[in-house]
Structure formats: structure tokens, C-alpha cells
Amino acid sequence: MKLFHCSNCDNPLYFENTRCLACNSEVGFHTRHLAIITLRRTDDNEIFLSDDFPEEKLRFCSNQQTVGCNWLVNAGNGDGFCVSCKLNKTIPNLSEPDNITRWQHLEAAKKRLIYSLMKLKLPFRGDTRSQDRGLQFEFLSSDLAGRPVMTGHLDGLITINIEEADEIQRHLTRIRMKESYRTVLGHFRHETGHYYWNRLVRDFGILSSFRALFGNEEANYTDAIEKYYREGPSPGWKESFISEYACAHPWEDWAETFAHYLHVTDSLETAWSFGLQLTAEKSDQAGETTGDPYEEKDFRKMIAVWLPLSIAMNNMNRSMGHNDFYSFYLSARSLEKLSFVHQLCRQWKSQFS
Ligand SMILES: [Zn+2]
Ligand SMILES: [Zn+2]
Ligand SMILES: [Zn+2]
């Protein structure tokens, strides 16, 4: 994620800011320019102008009041929802007071995901010509659904159990599942990965190269998942898979790899944005700068920066008594899979943007 600056006072602005903490100007996220911009209210209290784009009249997304959405829409925008909020098919039951906080937590993570997808120029809107409904989100709780809610996906419809937004609940699940990493953002990135398998692999007709790396996805999915939960990952899995769960089925391997690709890319953009550049003695390409990772063609250059950076960040976290920043081992095989995702994203970008 980029670091932004207030155009009024030059103070740094974060992606989640609604005001500049130095000069108190209102700020919002401009979805076409992918930037947090400083705003000026007009006589109409809901319409804003910005010195960055003086010809545009803007207003906050209709979800600003309910969930604090800081994304902007054109003042003439029909229903007033931003590109991210438009993707919500089902929102949490707001008569339950705790659900507002949960929803805020979910939206903050979802917006980071949508930002990455827009930077990568990956498709996420529906297309009636191809019967593709695009990405949609439903945030459900077990009490409202009247049944246990599983976080999962179905042809682009991403279901998130809103209990995942509760810190304690998620921590307990992480311990029970013996996971080293479990975040709401990770869920969004993983589940979205399933949708992009349809778009980038299946629809591109590249199943044979996919299978050469990830295995045959025609293997019975239900049986494979049951076997994984019964027997766990196979010994030596670290040399072939990025996480334990990636062992469950080729689709899960892809979704985990896609999620990690977004972890790496977003983190590298943050490092680049702060001017963080590290060297590690053992890497011949270490210290080589990638600049903007969303524009980088060569995945090896991204990884040459990522490896020393993630080691340094792990040690920074340990210095503070926190868990590791990135607790995954990237084997040669996992790097090949990540590179495959990178190539497909580049290919999409060059063909369709
Ligand atoms: Zn300011
Ligand atoms: Zn919104
Ligand atoms: Zn999955």
C-alpha cells in the first residue's frame, strides 16, 4: 500500500484516514486515481472539491455514515455507493450493535483487497455478456443464517463468517486449526483467489500448465478436503506447498498461492513507498530495487527484495515480542507457483487494460 500525503499540509495520510491528523482537512480515497486526496467542502454540505482534481465534484460513499467508508464517488453517482461497497450482496444484521464494529473491520480488509485488484487491473465487476456475476460479498453470522456459516466461495460469491472479525474468536480458531497466520485480509485474498482461478486459468485455457505445477484439480474436492482434515498434510509438504492447507487440493493450493502473491505485492508496495531497501549478504540480487511491484515484470526481482525484507521484518517483530511478520518458507517450488500467478496477472494486464 502506498503512503499518501495531504495536499494542504504535506502530512502523511494512510489508506484508512478520513481526516488529516495535522491540519484536520477531510480526506477520502479517489477510486479512479487510486489515491487519498484532500477535500474542501462546498456550500452543499455533502459535495466536495479537491485541488488535486479541480474539475470533479465528489461526495463520500453512502456507507460513510454506517461503516465509515472513506471512498469517494462522483457527486452525480446514482445510488451513491463506491466501487467496493457496490460489491456487497449481503451486509451484517445492523440491529445487533457489535455487528457495526465487525463490519468496519471486514470493510477495512476488503478495501485493501479491492485496491490491489484495481492496481493489478484484474476484473471484478460482473459481465452480463458472459454470465459472469463478478465478485460479490456476503457477510453472514450463524445466528442470522440459522445454520453454521462457513467462510468460502462460489463462482465469485465470497461468503465471510462475520465472527472472523472478532479478535478472540479468530485467535481461538487459529490455535484450534494449528495455523501460524489467520487474518480477515488473508481470508479475502484466499477466497478471491478461487474466483481468479476461473478467470485466469480456466477461461484462459491453460489447464495443462496449471496442472504441471499444482496437480489435477479434477480430483474429487470433497474427498480431498475430508482427507486433509482427517490426516493433515503429507510429510515434507514444505518443499512443495506454501502452507499446510495448500496441500488439501490443487484449488486450495492455487488460492493460497494467489493470497500470498497479494501479501507479497502489497507489502512490497508499502516498503517501496517508505523507501525501505534492504540487502542480505547471501542473495546475489539482494538490494535490487523493484520500484512499484505492481509494474514489475520480473518476479525474481520482487523476490530478491522480498526475502531480505521479510527476514528483517520478522526480526523487527521479534524485537517487540510479536509473532513473525511472514511465517512462511518459500521453497523453489512455491516460488515457481508464485511466479506463475505473477505471469498470469501480467498477461491479463497487458491484454485487457
Ligand atoms: Zn493536512
Ligand atoms: Zn463505500
Ligand atoms: Zn479455499
Side-chain angles (χ1 to χ4, degrees), residues 61-64 69-71 81-86 111:
C61 167
S62 297
N63 272 345
Q64 191 211 18
C69 179
N70 68 342
W71 286 26
F81 288 110
C82 71
V83 288
S84 172
C85 291
K86 267 186 206 302
K111 288 197 161 59

Side-chain angles (χ1 to χ4, degrees), residues 43-232:
D43 292 340
D44 179 332
N45 215 24
E46 292 190 350
I47 297 183
F48 295 85
L49 295 172
S50 161
D51 290 339
D52 297 308
F53 308 106
E55 72 288 0
E56 295 189 46
K57 288 183 176 170
L58 302 158
R59 64 169 76 224
F60 277 105
C61 167
S62 297
N63 272 345
Q64 191 211 18
Q65 295 298 326
T66 40
V67 77
C69 179
N70 68 342
W71 286 26
L72 299 162
V73 298
N74 282 330
N77 177 312
D79 59 11
F81 288 110
C82 71
V83 288
S84 172
C85 291
K86 267 186 206 302
L87 306 176
N88 291 344
K89 183 165 179 278
T90 311
I91 61 166
N93 172 13
L94 299 183
S95 61
E96 163 65 59
D98 288 347
N99 281 356
I100 294 175
T101 317
R102 289 176 178 142
W103 190 23
Q104 284 171 340
H105 190 124
L106 295 169
E107 284 295 336
K110 187 182 124 207
K111 288 197 161 59
R112 284 205 168 237
L113 166 77
I114 303 297
Y115 170 86
S116 291
L117 302 181
M118 291 195 292
K119 288 286 283 189
L120 289 166
K121 295 196 165 57
L122 286 174
F124 58 84
R125 295 181 182 88
D127 181 352
T128 44
R129 287 166 304 174
S130 65
Q131 306 287 309
D132 175 7
R133 67 179 160 198
L135 274 183
Q136 293 184 346
F137 296 89
E138 54 176 12
F139 302 128
L140 299 178
S141 58
S142 301
D143 53 342
L144 194 67
R147 58 181 163 80
V149 172
M150 299 295 288
T151 292
H153 73 99
L154 182 66
D155 290 333
L157 176 64
I158 312 289
T159 302
I160 304 281
N161 179 346
I162 64 171
E163 286 178 7
E164 287 290 335
D166 291 331
E167 204 79 38
I168 295 174
Q169 204 59 39
R170 197 174 60 253
H171 183 70
L172 291 174
T173 310
R174 186 173 72 76
I175 304 286
R176 186 163 43 81
M177 307 284 276
K178 299 192 180 79
E179 295 170 340
S180 61
Y181 175 86
R182 188 180 185 91
T183 64
V184 173
L185 181 56
H187 285 312
F188 277 110
R189 287 175 172 164
H190 172 101
E191 300 304 339
T192 308
H194 287 296
Y195 172 68
Y196 287 110
W197 185 85
N198 295 353
R199 302 299 304 265
L200 302 179
V201 179
R202 185 195 65 191
D203 296 352
F204 262 39
I206 51 161
L207 284 173
S208 56
S209 19
F210 169 80
R211 287 172 185 162
L213 269 176
F214 293 84
N216 190 341
E217 82 293 346
E218 291 175 320
N220 185 291
Y221 182 78
T222 312
D223 290 353
I225 297 296
E226 279 175 10
K227 182 169 182 282
Y228 171 75
Y229 283 121
R230 201 172 53 241
E231 298 174 12

